[in-house]
Amino acid sequence: MKDHLLERFRGDGPARVAIIGMGYVGVPLGVALAEAGVAVQGVDLDSQRVDSLNRGQPPFPDLDAEHLAALVAAGSFRATCNHGVIAGVDATIIDVPTPLSKTREPDVSLVLRALRQVAEHLHPGQLVVIESTTYPGFTREVAAPLLQAGGLRLGRDVFLAFSPERIDPGNPVYGARNTPRIVGGITPACAEVAAALYRRVTPEIHVVSDTDTAEMVKLHENTFRAVNIALANEVALMSRRLGVDPWEVIDAAATKPFGFMPFYPGPGLGGHCIPVDPVYLSWKMRTLNFAVRFIELAEAINTSMPEVVVHRLHEALDVRSRTLHGSRILVLGVTYKRDVGDVRESPALEVIRLLRDRGVVVCYHDPWVPALDAEGIPLRSVPWEEEVTSCDAALILADHVAVDYARLVAAAPLVFDTRGVTRRLPPSSNVVRL
Ligand SMILES: NC(=O)c1ccc[n+]([C@@H]2O[C@H](COP(=O)([O-])OP(=O)(O)OC[C@H]3O[C@@H](n4cnc5c(N)ncnc54)[C@H](O)[C@@H]3O)[C@@H](O)[C@H]2O)c1
C-alpha cells in the first residue's frame, strides 16, 4: 500500500485529495495542491461556502480569487458538502477549527467529528493527515484508535500523520510553496507517504520522529510568538514609565544582526492561533501535573492590552481637556492584524466593547471588513475621511496599508496609534503611540 501511494503522490502522479474544512487553511492548501496537478475535493459543512467556492469565489477577501477561479474552471478544484467523496481519494487532510471551550479548554469536537467522517469512508491505501492545531498526543492517543477501529492497520493498510499548518494570512512573501513543512507520522511509513504528498507543493519537508513531536513543534512556534509579543507589550509599558519611546527602543535593538528578533507591542492578540494554541499546551501540561509559567504570564499581559489601550487613550484625551465619556472615537482597523479580513478573537472587539461601556460613541473604518457585529450591535465601516474631522480621536488598531496615515494625522484632532505605523511619519503633536 505504501508503494502504491508513493507512486500516486510522486511527481505528476494522479493523486486525488479531499480536504475537510474549506477555511483560511484548507482553501489555500487546496489551491496549491490543485496547481501542482492534484485533483482536489474541498469538503465543508457550510453549503453557502461550498457554492461560492464552486463559482470560483473564495470565502475570504484576502484569498487570491483569480487562481481559484481558474482551477475550478479547469475542474481540478471542486467543493462539496458530501463527505462520501473521501471514499474515492488517496489522501484526506483535516483542516477544521480547534477553538477553546467556554471554560478555555481545548475543544477538539470538530476534529473528532471530521475523524469519524473519515473513518466511515476509510479504505486501504489511504493517507489521513491532521493539520488542525491540537495538543501533543492527540493524533496518537485519539485519532489513531479511531481510524484503526474498523481493523485497518496504521502504517500498512492506511497511513496517519500530523503536519501543522504554518500559513500566515496576508503574508505576501511566504505561502504554501516556500514555507518548509513539518511532518510526523504514526509510523515511519506514515511520515514517508505524507512527506511525498506535501513534496508536490513545497520542496522542503522536515520529518520529525513522531506525531507528538510534530504537534509540539506547532505549539512551540505559536507559544514563542505569544510570549515574545507579551515581552514587547511589557517593554512598551516599561518604556513609557521610563519616559522613552518603545518603538524607538525596539527598532534600535533590531539593528543587531544576531541574537535579537523584533516583536512589537499592540492592542492584544487575535486570530485563530496565537491566543488559542498556547492554551492547548498549558492544558495538556496540567494533565501531566506540570505548572506552565511562561504561557500564563504571557496570556495575562496580552489580555490586559485592550484595557491599557483604553486607559492610555483616556489619558491622551485628558491632556487635551476632553473626556473619554461622550467622546466620538473613529477606530481604524478591526481585524486582528494588517491586511486580512479576519476578526476572530480580534482585540479590536474588546477595545470597542470597553469604549462603549465607558460611554464612547464608536465608529470604524476597515477596508477589509464592511460590516461588524460588536456584541450584537451591528456596525458598518465608514469612509475614514468623512469621520476624521468630527471625531475626538482616531484610534489605529490594525495598520492596513490601504489607509493614508499621513493624511489621517493631518486631519484628525488626535491619533492614538497602537501599531507604530505613524513612527515613520514626521513628528506631530497630535499623535500618541502605545
Ligand atoms: N487561520 C490561520 O491562520 C491558521 C494558521 C495555522 C493553523 N491554523 C489551524 O488550522 C485549523 C483550521 O483553521 P481555519 O482558520 O482554516 O478555520 P476556518 O474556521 O477558517 O475554517 C474551518 C472550516 O471547517 C469547516 N468544518 C468544520 N467541521 C467540518 C466537518 N466536519 N466537515 C467539513 N467541514 C467542516 C467549517 O465549516 C469551516 O468552513 C485550526 O486548527 C487552526 O488552529 C489556522
Side-chain angles (χ1 to χ4, degrees), residues 20-26 43-46 49 60 83 95-98 110 113-114 117 132-133 165 167 169 218 272-273 277 336 344:
I20 305 191
M22 287 284 93
Y24 277 90
V25 167
V43 188
D44 207 286
L45 301 169
D46 179 341
R49 190 164 279 196
F60 317 109
H83 290 76
D95 282 323
V96 300
T98 43
L110 293 172
R113 179 174 175 187
Q117 287 158 332
S132 297
T133 308
E165 179 51 54
I167 195 166
K218 174 70 184 176
H272 191 44
C273 294
D277 299 354
Y336 76 96
R344 291 178 299 177

Side-chain angles (χ1 to χ4, degrees), residues 346-400:
S346 172
L349 303 175
E350 178 65 0
V351 171
I352 291 172
R353 187 187 70 76
L354 291 170
L355 289 174
R356 295 171 81 116
D357 280 357
R358 284 160 178 74
V360 172
V361 178
V362 179
C363 59
Y364 86 94
H365 169 78
D366 193 312
W368 295 88
V369 185
L372 181 70
D373 183 342
E375 292 205 330
I377 298 156
L379 295 177
R380 293 202 75 78
S381 174
V382 293
W384 67 263
E385 298 87 341
E386 284 177 15
E387 291 291 332
V388 69
T389 45
S390 57
C391 70
D392 293 287
L395 171 60
I396 301 169
L397 295 179
D399 49 344
H400 299 309

Side-chain angles (χ1 to χ4, degrees), residues 258-272:
F258 50 88
F260 186 83
M261 180 187 279
F263 283 82
Y264 292 94
L269 295 184
H272 191 44

Side-chain angles (χ1 to χ4, degrees), residues 179-392:
T179 305
R181 231 205 209 252
I182 303 296
V183 169
I186 286 289
T187 68
C190 294
E192 194 183 345
V193 171
L197 175 62
Y198 284 114
R199 221 163 268 124
R200 291 288 282 262
V201 176
T202 179
E204 229 180 299
I205 312 289
H206 186 86
V207 175
V208 294
S209 303
D210 46 37
T211 53
D212 289 37
T213 307
E215 288 160 337
M216 184 60 178
V217 171
K218 174 70 184 176
L219 297 182
H220 175 44
E221 288 172 8
N222 282 0
T223 300
F224 173 85
R225 279 194 67 76
V227 166
N228 279 287
I229 292 168
L231 176 62
N233 282 330
E234 194 162 61
V235 165
L237 301 177
M238 291 190 290
S239 298
R240 289 298 173 206
R241 186 67 65 87
L242 290 165
V244 296
D245 179 353
W247 305 91
E248 190 182 354
V249 169
I250 296 168
D251 284 341
T255 61
K256 188 179 176 188
F258 50 88
F260 186 83
M261 180 187 279
F263 283 82
Y264 292 94
L269 295 184
H272 191 44
C273 294
I274 311 296
V276 173
D277 299 354
V279 182
Y280 271 64
L281 182 53
S282 55
W283 174 85
K284 175 69 184 182
M285 297 319 296
R286 271 203 306 278
T287 70
L288 302 173
N289 262 338
F290 185 103
V292 172
R293 286 163 290 173
F294 264 115
I295 292 176
E296 282 171 11
L297 177 59
E299 201 188 1
I301 294 172
N302 289 330
T303 55
S304 74
M305 292 313 289
E307 283 277 4
V308 170
V309 168
V310 171
H311 177 72
R312 292 277 316 283
L313 175 64
H314 190 168
E315 279 180 349
L317 286 166
D318 214 28
V319 168
R320 288 159 180 81
S321 305
R322 296 190 177 206
T323 55
L324 186 65
H325 186 93
S327 64
R328 185 172 176 82
I329 304 296
L330 167 64
V331 168
L332 284 117
V334 292
T335 60
Y336 76 96
K337 69 171 182 174
R338 178 198 307 151
D339 291 345
V340 298
D342 192 354
V343 295
R344 291 178 299 177
E345 316 273 335
S346 172
L349 303 175
E350 178 65 0
V351 171
I352 291 172
R353 187 187 70 76
L354 291 170
L355 289 174
R356 295 171 81 116
D357 280 357
R358 284 160 178 74
V360 172
V361 178
V362 179
C363 59
Y364 86 94
H365 169 78
D366 193 312
W368 295 88
V369 185
L372 181 70
D373 183 342
E375 292 205 330
I377 298 156
L379 295 177
R380 293 202 75 78
S381 174
V382 293
W384 67 263
E385 298 87 341
E386 284 177 15
E387 291 291 332
V388 69
T389 45
S390 57
C391 70
D392 293 287

